[in-house]
Amino acid sequence: MNCRLKGIFFPFISGVLLFLSCEPKVDQGELAINTLLEDIKQEYAPDKRVALFNVELVKSGNENILKGESDLPVAVATFKDRLVENKINFIDSIQLLPASHLEGSNHGLITISVANLRGKPAHSSELVTQATLGTPVKVLKEEDDWYLIQTPDKYLSWVDGGGIVALSSERYTAWKSTPKVIYINTIGHSYSEPDKDTQVVSDMVAGGVLELIGEEGEFFFVAYPDERKAYISKNEAMDYDTWLAALDPSQESLVETSKTLMGVPYLWGGTSTKGVDCSGFTKTIYFLNGIVLPRDASQQIHTGKQVDTEKDFDKLVPGDLLFFGKPATDTTKERVIHVGMWIGNNEFIHSAGRVHISSMDKNAPNYDAYNLNRYLRSNRYLEESKDGLIELAKTPVFKD
């Protein structure tokens, strides 16, 4: 018995030792760097949609090389300081954005009625959002005539060179100081002469902003960011300062604006009157009332004041946003999938297929059982803290 045990036991031990000797050794320095990297990302760039910190560790022999890019100089500096504090040697190859090859042209203006902004620098890439004519953006880098930009709501995306003009700080400052007009019709055109029977210069959508050169009869004479000139009917546009001064976002104005978009088709990534996704629709409503919401429903839900979680729709007032999705469980996080706006009378307006009105009333012909069953909660924005939002009347986005 003892011999048999011995014959089995020692080969077993040697096999275990061989197995253990083949286990890869953990590089404690690499582990420490990656831990610090994750800490910085969580602290400074928890949402990749609005903060860029694409930094990674690349090993080359015994050297720790930090590669990547970021538009967050404080985050990069903090990361390097913590490496020094932990006595970790490294080679810094991190590129800070805006990139030096832009030669100071770190600002940009959208030059077309609606620019399609994508997740990667290619027309085949996913449409993640849009920007309307005259939107000022921060330019971070250029790659094969595609520009990585950040919109006023801090959303990061790529636009092709045909949709943007890059400007130096001096030219951008000069543009902001000029008088402007804002297009207020849902959709329309600008013309080569002060006459709607003349050549169209471009299509227009609500929210487009242009430099005002002068007036001629019933038309504004305007300049595009790429120096094209055109005329826009005064019936379809307003002096920007006059529009801004008249802004008084209210339950009524939000509902009125939302209904001007009835029937606009659903478009994933759309935030204009040419097409909207669910959060692009709510964003457009509020923008045309002087308030810039975050881009996505999963971001919008973290702004405003929560007013209901129990399907007690008597608590809601027009303008409140309703969020839908999947609640958190013990093993999964909450998923916000859809958003709409309350308009009263037990109804909400939203973009799903097209912009339309649905009801929470089980006896109504437009009853929406699907969204009722996945309702999460509702938030209010009017007369509440505007943390996370931009108020155009208080923030000089388009004009100083």
Side-chain angles (χ1 to χ4, degrees):
M1 179 179 284
N2 289 338
C3 291
R4 185 178 296 175
L5 285 173
K6 181 178 180 181
I8 296 173
F9 183 70
F10 284 109
F12 173 75
I13 290 293
S14 63
V16 171
L17 292 174
L18 178 63
F19 174 75
L20 291 175
S21 68
C22 294
E23 280 288 292
K25 294 181 180 179
V26 177
D27 186 326
Q28 295 300 321
E30 182 177 350
L31 182 61
I33 292 174
N34 285 324
T35 299
L36 288 173
L37 263 177
E38 287 305 311
D39 290 345
I40 291 292
K41 288 177 182 178
Q42 288 301 314
E43 184 176 349
Y44 290 95
D47 188 342
K48 295 179 181 179
R49 294 168 293 186
V50 296
L52 181 62
F53 190 80
N54 293 336
V55 177
E56 63 178 351
L57 168 65
V58 177
K59 295 290 291 186
S60 178
N62 293 323
E63 293 182 329
N64 299 314
I65 304 175
L66 303 178
K67 290 190 174 183
E69 59 188 11
S70 176
D71 67 333
L72 305 170
V74 174
V76 173
T78 301
F79 177 48
K80 291 190 288 189
D81 286 344
R82 290 180 185 175
L83 291 173
V84 172
E85 289 170 7
N86 284 271
K87 298 180 180 179
I88 298 174
N89 295 321
F90 62 91
I91 297 173
D92 181 10
S93 293
I94 302 172
Q95 180 183 14
L96 280 174
L97 302 179
S100 58
H101 67 252
L102 294 173
E103 298 180 344
S105 295
N106 302 334
H107 300 276
L109 296 171
I110 299 302
T111 62
I112 54 180
S113 62
V114 179
N116 293 322
L117 310 184
R118 303 190 179 275
K120 296 179 181 179
H123 287 291
S124 57
S125 180
E126 176 189 16
L127 178 66
V128 294
T129 191
Q130 293 178 323
T132 50
L133 175 65
T135 299
V137 298
K138 184 178 181 181
V139 180
L140 299 178
K141 67 176 182 178
E142 186 268 340
E143 188 176 298
D144 296 329
D145 203 35
W146 283 83
Y147 292 82
L148 178 62
I149 63 170
Q150 191 168 41
T151 50
D153 57 6
K154 298 189 181 301
Y155 216 80
L156 294 162
S157 54
W158 290 87
V159 61
D160 72 273
I164 186 176
V165 58
L167 302 175
S168 65
S169 294
E170 293 76 17
R171 286 186 62 198
Y172 175 65
T173 299
W175 177 84
K176 287 195 74 174
S177 68
T178 62
K180 306 285 193 310
V181 296
I182 183 167
Y183 195 77
I184 57 175
N185 249 28
T186 303
I187 199 161
H189 295 91
S190 63
Y191 302 90
S192 61
E193 301 292 338
D195 183 341
K196 287 189 175 183
D197 291 329
T198 58
Q199 175 64 49
V200 168
V201 173
S202 176
D203 64 319
M204 297 289 297
V205 301
V209 174
L210 288 166
E211 179 182 346
L212 175 62
I213 300 175
E215 301 180 30
E216 189 165 337
E218 297 303 311
F219 286 80
F220 291 118
F221 185 37
V222 297
Y224 281 72
D226 57 9
E227 300 184 354
R228 285 176 293 164
K229 305 295 191 296
Y231 292 87
I232 296 176
S233 171
K234 291 181 179 178
N235 293 327
E236 300 173 6
M238 287 182 67
D239 173 85
Y240 183 80
D241 287 338
T242 302
W243 175 78
L244 206 60
L247 284 178
D248 184 19
S250 65
Q251 297 177 23
E252 293 75 19
S253 69
L254 291 170
V255 173
E256 180 181 356
T257 300
S258 72
K259 290 184 176 179
T260 65
L261 304 180
M262 282 287 284
V264 169
Y266 180 91
L267 175 65
W268 177 271
T271 61
S272 73
T273 56
K274 286 188 175 183
V276 285
D277 59 22
C278 63
S279 57
F281 175 54
T282 52
K283 182 176 176 65
T284 298
I285 296 168
Y286 270 83
F287 171 68
L288 295 176
N289 282 271
I291 299 172
V292 180
L293 297 179
R295 169 63 184 93
D296 295 335
S298 58
Q299 298 169 315
Q300 293 175 6
I301 198 172
H302 296 298
T303 57
K305 178 183 177 181
Q306 184 175 291
V307 290
D308 176 63
T309 61
E310 304 297 330
K311 300 182 182 179
D312 185 358
F313 300 119
D314 288 337
K315 293 180 179 178
L316 305 190
V317 300
D320 291 347
L321 297 188
L322 294 78
F323 297 94
F324 308 88
K326 296 181 179 180
T329 68
D330 292 338
T331 57
T332 61
K333 295 181 179 180
E334 177 184 74
R335 288 190 62 206
V336 182
I337 299 172
H338 190 57
V339 60
M341 192 185 81
W342 194 251
I343 60 172
N345 193 34
N346 226 13
E347 293 181 321
F348 66 101
I349 188 168
H350 59 134
S351 178
R354 67 182 187 284
V355 174
H356 65 283
I357 295 171
S358 295
S359 177
M360 293 300 192
D361 182 351
K362 296 180 180 179
N363 297 314
N366 57 340
Y367 171 55
D368 191 339
Y370 175 66
N371 278 310
L372 178 63
N373 289 333
R374 63 175 185 165
Y375 174 78
L376 295 172
R377 56 188 179 276
S378 296
N379 289 0
R380 183 165 301 155
Y381 303 86
L382 292 180
E383 300 177 3
E384 299 295 340
S385 168
K386 297 298 189 292
D387 291 345
L389 311 181
I390 298 172
E391 295 180 85
L392 294 178
K394 297 179 180 179
T395 306
V397 173
F398 293 94
K399 191 174 183 296
D400 287 331

